[in-house]
């Protein structure tokens, strides 16, 4: 029978373990992509996704039926998806098709019938490129205004979802020879809307409508979600990623939030126009002034003087100025991860919140040590009264993780736990030696 001291000892050990090693709330799929073809990667992932989510086809079909009607869907396939697909890297096309080959797909494009067709799966892959209806926001701080003396970036993904889609939230890690990429999204979704690589490069997609119709025919259209994945596979700095992303043309306008181990910037890319990289010192529109050193924010509109004026909605203007109000960091009051997390969870205005009812995922990433802190909305879609981000550990292969070693706080907890355990054990031995 355990003594009270032993019970306290075990309780103490479990408390300390849980304090510094919180498990991931989302399933994480690792795939060895070294020397693998798109077919091989897709086949491996498709089987893993299906095993984890046996009704994944039905879930995606149900979501798509709630997102778009049949007539609009048919137009998207004919006038958008079928034009974009040939411009997608063949390896990615092979990966999508290989995933589909491991699932049970229907030959009929009938939304809401409980079955998923190939065209329906492709529309899912290309929602930001053909269907829009995404929002999001982000914030970054770096340099000597960061307690890490390196960037801390926050990002909220605000999408329309339903229970089926929310239940498919997942992280996919592609482990290549030279570097790995972490895709934060959904099982079976192989493009990137939020992600980072083992070099510390982080990218996130945000819509930015300028009121122009989708180009028809969309000649030369590319897919931003697949191009974001490509830069994560090939680049490690904002400047090079921005260079690669500025060459293609896309059907919709968007912002790309980017961070690396030195900086945080935003690529403003209006439809049919030249893209421009925005820093904290870039000239902005008067009504969207910033004036903050070593800090940057992004919402669903452009703020550069050189970009089209599209910050018309009160939602975008409020969130922008709310970020500006919250960005009070300086050399004496340096930002920590918890501070950026608090900003991304801000709900000051009930109708124009940074953290709102459409927020699916809220995250903070630190590029230098490649640490991801993530909140994901429950399947119910109802946020917790006190939402918290959890650090998602063991995402990258050990050889590709920063040599910075253990998180200082985690290290202190480990040392403290060992000391306390030692004290208890010595006390127990001393007590029994007197008997």
């Amino acid at each position: 029978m355990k003594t009270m001291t032993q019970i306290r000892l075990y309780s103490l050990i479990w408390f300390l373990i849980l304090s510094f090693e919180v498990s991931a709330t989302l399933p994480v799929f690792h795939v060895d992509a070294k020397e693998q073809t798109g077919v091989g990667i897709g086949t491996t992932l498709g089987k893993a996704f299906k095993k984890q989510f046996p009704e994944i086809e039905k879930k995606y079909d149900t979501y798509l039926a709630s997102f778009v009607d049949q007539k609009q869907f048919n137009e998207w396939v004919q006038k958008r998806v079928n034009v974009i697909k040939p411009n997608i890297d063949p390896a990615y096309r092979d990966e999508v098709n290989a995933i589909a080959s491991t699932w049970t797909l229907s030959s009929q494009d009938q939304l809401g019938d409980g079955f998923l067709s190939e065209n329906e799966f492709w529309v899912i892959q290309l929602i930001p490129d053909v269907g829009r209806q995404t929002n999001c926001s982000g914030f970054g701080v770096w340099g000597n205004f960061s307690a890490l003396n390196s960037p801390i970036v926050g990002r909220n993904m605000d999408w329309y979802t339903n229970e089926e889609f929310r239940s498919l939230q997942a992280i996919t890690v592609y482990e290549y020879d030279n570097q790995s990429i972490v895709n934060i999204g959904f099982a079976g979704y192989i493009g990137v809307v939020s992600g980072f690589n083992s070099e510390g490069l982080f990218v996130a997609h945000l819509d930015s409508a300028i009121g122009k119709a989708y180009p028809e025919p969309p000649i030369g259209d590319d897919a931003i979600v697949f191009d974001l994945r490509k830069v994560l596979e090939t680049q490690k700095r904002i400047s090079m990623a921005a260079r690669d992303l500025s060459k293609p043309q896309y059907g919709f306008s968007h912002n790309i939030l980017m961070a690396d181990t030195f900086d945080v910037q935003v690529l403003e890319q209006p439809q049919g126009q030249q893209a421009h990289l925005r820093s904290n010192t870039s000239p902005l529109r008067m009504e969207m002034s910033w004036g903050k050193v070593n800090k940057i924010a992004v919402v669903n509109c452009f703020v550069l003087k050189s970009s089209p004026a599209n910050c018309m909605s009160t939602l975008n203007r409020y969130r922008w100025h709310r970020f500006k109000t919250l960005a009070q960091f300086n050399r004496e009051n340096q930002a920590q991860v918890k501070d950026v997390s608090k900003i991304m969870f801000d709900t000051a205005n009930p109708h124009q919140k940074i953290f709102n009812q459409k927020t699916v995922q809220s995250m903070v990433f630190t590029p230098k040590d490649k640490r991801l802190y993530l909140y994901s909305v429950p399947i119910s879609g109802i946020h917790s009264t006190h939402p918290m981000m959890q650090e998602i550990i063991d995402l990258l292969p050990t050889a590709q993780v920063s040599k910075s070693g253990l998180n200082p706080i985690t290290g202190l907890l480990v040392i403290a736990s060992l000391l306390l355990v030692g004290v208890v054990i010595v006390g127990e031995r001393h007590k029994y030696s007197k008997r």
Side-chain angles (χ1 to χ4, degrees), residues 27 133 391:
Q133 295 190 39
E391 182 178 356

Side-chain angles (χ1 to χ4, degrees), residues 258-317:
M258 294 189 285
D260 59 21
T261 54
F262 299 100
D263 206 352
V264 186
Q265 298 187 45
V266 176
L267 183 69
E268 297 193 357
Q269 193 153 30
Q271 175 193 349
Q273 299 182 37
Q274 178 63 43
H276 294 284
L277 198 56
R278 170 164 64 87
S279 70
N280 64 306
T281 59
S282 299
L284 308 183
R285 295 186 174 278
M286 186 179 300
E287 69 276 14
M288 302 298 285
S289 63
W290 184 247
K292 298 288 183 177
V293 178
N294 288 9
K295 296 178 286 290
I296 201 166
V298 60
V299 291
N300 298 113
C301 66
F302 301 128
V303 297
L304 283 172
K305 281 187 176 180
S306 55
S307 296
N310 66 335
C311 289
M312 309 304 177
S313 75
T314 56
L315 173 62
N316 282 327
R317 292 198 178 205

Side-chain angles (χ1 to χ4, degrees), residues 122-177:
W122 269 106
V123 168
I124 290 288
Q125 299 293 329
L126 295 170
I127 281 176
D129 288 286
V130 305
R132 185 165 269 157
Q133 295 190 39
T134 64
N135 291 306
C136 315
S137 63
F139 174 80
V141 57
W142 62 93
N144 54 14
F145 286 15
S146 162
L148 304 178
N149 200 34
S150 61
I152 304 173
V153 61
R155 183 278 209 282
N156 282 2
M157 176 188 172
D158 304 338
W159 277 28
Y160 164 75
T161 59
N162 63 0
E163 287 194 4
E164 287 77 11
F165 199 42
R166 290 190 289 270
S167 72
L168 295 176
Q169 293 182 83
I171 296 173
T172 306
V173 182
Y174 295 83
E175 299 177 2
Y176 295 99
D177 286 316

Side-chain angles (χ1 to χ4, degrees), residues 31-44 91 175-177:
V31 59
D32 184 351
K34 303 178 188 70
E35 300 181 4
Q36 283 264 39
T37 64
V39 173
I41 294 171
T43 301
T44 300
E175 299 177 2
Y176 295 99
D177 286 316

Side-chain angles (χ1 to χ4, degrees), residues 328-344:
Q328 297 300 318
F329 310 113
N330 51 44
R331 291 180 181 85
E332 289 70 42
N333 177 35
Q334 295 178 316
Q336 299 185 51
V337 167
K338 65 180 179 63
D339 299 313
V340 178
S341 173
K342 185 177 179 181
I343 288 175
M344 302 317 298

Side-chain angles (χ1 to χ4, degrees), residues 15-298:
F15 171 77
L16 289 166
I17 290 173
L18 292 172
S19 293
F20 58 76
E21 192 167 305
V22 181
S23 60
T25 57
L26 299 186
V28 180
F29 298 90
H30 290 262
V31 59
D32 184 351
K34 303 178 188 70
E35 300 181 4
Q36 283 264 39
T37 64
V39 173
I41 294 171
T43 301
T44 300
L45 285 176
K47 291 178 180 178
F49 295 145
K50 179 67 174 177
K51 182 178 180 180
Q52 180 75 28
F53 303 103
E55 295 189 324
I56 192 168
E57 304 96 330
K58 182 179 180 180
K59 289 176 181 291
Y60 271 131
D61 172 71
T62 303
Y63 171 66
L64 202 56
S66 71
F67 183 80
V68 60
D69 62 39
Q70 189 69 50
K71 180 180 179 181
Q72 184 70 74
F73 167 84
N74 293 340
E75 290 182 3
W76 284 356
V77 171
Q78 295 168 13
K79 298 180 179 180
R80 302 181 185 182
V81 174
N82 288 342
V83 177
I84 292 175
K85 274 174 63 177
N87 297 328
I88 297 173
D89 187 315
Y92 298 152
R93 295 203 306 268
D94 289 345
E95 186 176 328
V96 172
N97 292 332
I99 290 173
S101 72
T102 67
W103 298 356
T104 304
L105 264 60
S106 169
S107 60
Q108 302 296 317
D109 295 336
Q110 184 60 52
L111 303 183
D113 63 356
F115 300 96
L116 188 69
S117 70
E118 180 181 341
N119 284 332
E120 290 169 5
F121 191 38
W122 269 106
V123 168
I124 290 288
Q125 299 293 329
L126 295 170
I127 281 176
D129 288 286
V130 305
R132 185 165 269 157
Q133 295 190 39
T134 64
N135 291 306
C136 315
S137 63
F139 174 80
V141 57
W142 62 93
N144 54 14
F145 286 15
S146 162
L148 304 178
N149 200 34
S150 61
I152 304 173
V153 61
R155 183 278 209 282
N156 282 2
M157 176 188 172
D158 304 338
W159 277 28
Y160 164 75
T161 59
N162 63 0
E163 287 194 4
E164 287 77 11
F165 199 42
R166 290 190 289 270
S167 72
L168 295 176
Q169 293 182 83
I171 296 173
T172 306
V173 182
Y174 295 83
E175 299 177 2
Y176 295 99
D177 286 316
N178 298 322
Q179 62 187 28
S180 298
I181 69 168
V182 177
N183 187 0
I184 309 159
F186 304 88
Y189 190 90
I190 75 161
V192 171
V193 290
S194 307
F196 63 92
N197 66 20
S198 52
E199 296 289 346
L201 178 65
F202 173 90
V203 297
H205 174 272
L206 300 93
D207 193 23
S208 184
I210 59 174
K212 292 177 65 175
Y214 193 92
E216 293 184 11
I219 298 171
D221 251 9
D222 291 275
I224 184 60
V225 293
F226 288 102
D227 287 348
L228 288 177
R229 177 168 162 184
K230 177 62 70 174
V231 298
L232 288 182
E233 291 180 13
T234 58
Q235 302 300 345
K236 59 183 179 181
R237 294 285 178 264
I238 290 173
S239 58
M240 301 307 289
R243 180 203 64 183
D244 291 354
L245 294 171
S246 297
K247 295 175 183 177
Q249 289 295 316
Y250 305 97
F252 288 135
S253 301
H254 53 246
N255 286 311
I256 303 299
L257 173 64
M258 294 189 285
D260 59 21
T261 54
F262 299 100
D263 206 352
V264 186
Q265 298 187 45
V266 176
L267 183 69
E268 297 193 357
Q269 193 153 30
Q271 175 193 349
Q273 299 182 37
Q274 178 63 43
H276 294 284
L277 198 56
R278 170 164 64 87
S279 70
N280 64 306
T281 59
S282 299
L284 308 183
R285 295 186 174 278
M286 186 179 300
E287 69 276 14
M288 302 298 285
S289 63
W290 184 247
K292 298 288 183 177
V293 178
N294 288 9
K295 296 178 286 290
I296 201 166
V298 60

